[in-house]
Amino acid sequence: MLNFYYITVLRDPVSRYLSEWKHVQRGATWKTAAHVCDGRPPTSDELPACYAGEDWAGVALADFTACTSNLANNRQVRMLADLSLVGCYNATGASEPQRGRALLASAKANLRRMAFFGLTEFQRKTQYLFEGTFGLRFLRAFTQANNTRAASTGVGEEVRQRIAALNAPDVELYEFARELFQRRYRAQRQRERAEERRRLRRRRWQRERRQRKQYRSFLSRVWRRGGGEEGEEEEEKEEDEEEGRGEMGEEMGDGTTTEDYSSQVVRW
């Protein structure tokens, strides 16, 4: 039986928005996206087009932000949330703030339930969490690419603030995701360190047991040379009991408790 998991990688909302704008400016469209919700696509009244013609190539940033039906707005919240909660793309049933709050709460809940998600600004930590969650190893280390198209747009701080305000739900979701991501990262590190301590204790216990066994073997040989055979059976019994205590201690661990997100994942 196969197990499927939804995973995602989130990005800083302003950088993501600027990146999509540059993508659309070069002629990209989302014409093949059906946007099906509750079994049907949105009507043209529910989701008006932002442009006429084949594409929106060459669009200025001011025009891109001015279109209220632009799906670049708060895309991360919308793609993580259950749109059925707000009537899909029909915005007549609730005010925009109400829709935004409902979608944001849904996106946070769905993100929390995901066994794994990553952040583009933390590539190495994202790789570390993915490998720890699914028990897999990448052949190459992730690289942090900061020289992106969004970083080279050269927009001013005032424009960035306007984009952040336009994408306020995405901004709040991202702050939530960053905090959750760091908690999961710390929990994974704690589990890893606890496992390493258990391995070290196990090796130390095995080494000490070998040393005690060698010493008892030496005493046994000395005892036999002196003509005594009593006590050998008792020594073997004590050794078996000691081995059982060591294994029991290993199973109990060191008492470290962490939030085990990887318990959601079926190992295969």
Side-chain angles (χ1 to χ4, degrees):
M1 179 179 177
L2 295 177
N3 295 286
F4 295 93
Y5 301 92
Y6 288 101
I7 66 174
T8 189
V9 177
L10 299 180
R11 187 177 181 183
D12 169 74
V14 175
S15 296
R16 197 218 63 78
Y17 189 88
L18 288 171
S19 179
E20 183 166 350
W21 163 56
K22 298 297 289 184
H23 191 53
V24 171
Q25 192 181 55
R26 295 192 300 273
T29 67
W30 310 111
K31 290 182 177 180
T32 58
H35 304 298
V36 174
C37 179
D38 278 351
R40 69 172 183 87
T43 66
S44 58
D45 290 333
E46 292 173 339
L47 188 61
C50 287
Y51 60 91
E54 291 298 318
D55 55 45
W56 210 4
V59 59
L61 181 58
D63 294 331
F64 192 76
T65 58
C67 180
T68 56
S69 60
N70 190 347
L71 292 183
N73 300 342
N74 299 299
R75 183 178 290 279
Q76 295 180 117
V77 164
R78 192 181 66 258
M79 296 188 74
L80 282 173
D82 180 4
L83 297 181
S84 300
L85 297 173
V86 295
C88 298
Y89 293 93
N90 184 357
T92 61
S95 66
E96 191 60 32
Q98 288 176 322
R99 286 173 58 87
R101 286 192 295 270
L103 292 177
L104 178 60
S106 176
K108 287 181 177 179
N110 286 334
L111 189 69
R112 190 184 298 112
R113 284 193 290 265
M114 283 186 175
F116 165 84
F117 70 90
L119 300 178
T120 58
E121 66 176 309
F122 298 114
Q123 290 290 324
R124 295 297 178 88
K125 288 183 178 180
T126 293
Q127 178 179 358
Y128 174 81
L129 274 178
F130 184 94
E131 292 177 339
T133 300
F134 295 107
L136 301 173
R137 289 293 179 268
F138 289 94
L139 296 178
R140 296 182 181 178
F142 287 13
T143 57
Q144 191 72 46
N146 295 318
N147 296 324
T148 62
R149 294 183 185 275
S152 61
T153 55
V155 300
E157 184 59 28
E158 183 178 348
V159 175
R160 289 182 173 274
Q161 291 297 329
R162 188 159 64 246
I163 293 173
L166 185 63
N167 292 270
D170 259 15
V171 171
E172 185 172 339
L173 173 67
Y174 193 70
E175 290 303 314
F176 170 82
R178 283 185 56 154
E179 182 179 346
L180 180 59
F181 180 86
Q182 295 295 353
R183 286 206 306 267
R184 291 188 175 191
Y185 176 78
R186 289 193 295 269
Q188 178 67 23
R189 291 293 301 273
Q190 290 173 2
R191 286 192 296 271
E192 206 170 71
R193 286 194 290 266
E195 181 60 31
E196 180 61 23
R197 287 195 295 270
R198 283 192 289 270
R199 285 196 297 266
L200 290 174
R201 282 199 303 273
R202 178 68 177 175
R203 287 198 294 266
R204 184 169 59 249
W205 175 81
Q206 289 175 338
R207 183 175 62 252
E208 292 173 352
R209 179 172 175 269
R210 285 195 301 270
Q211 291 172 348
R212 288 192 296 270
K213 192 172 183 180
Q214 291 171 356
Y215 181 66
R216 286 172 178 169
S217 178
F218 168 75
L219 291 180
S220 178
R221 290 195 300 272
V222 172
W223 180 261
R224 285 196 297 271
R225 289 171 184 171
E229 296 182 358
E230 299 178 1
E232 291 185 21
E233 183 176 340
E234 186 66 27
E235 287 181 3
E236 291 179 359
K237 181 180 179 182
E238 290 177 358
E239 186 173 326
D240 292 340
E241 290 177 351
E242 184 177 348
E243 182 175 354
R245 287 194 298 270
E247 291 178 351
M248 182 181 297
E250 177 65 22
E251 291 175 358
M252 293 176 64
D254 60 355
T256 302
T257 57
T258 59
E259 191 170 2
D260 189 3
Y261 296 100
S262 61
S263 64
Q264 304 174 48
V265 180
V266 177
R267 303 290 177 178
W268 65 85

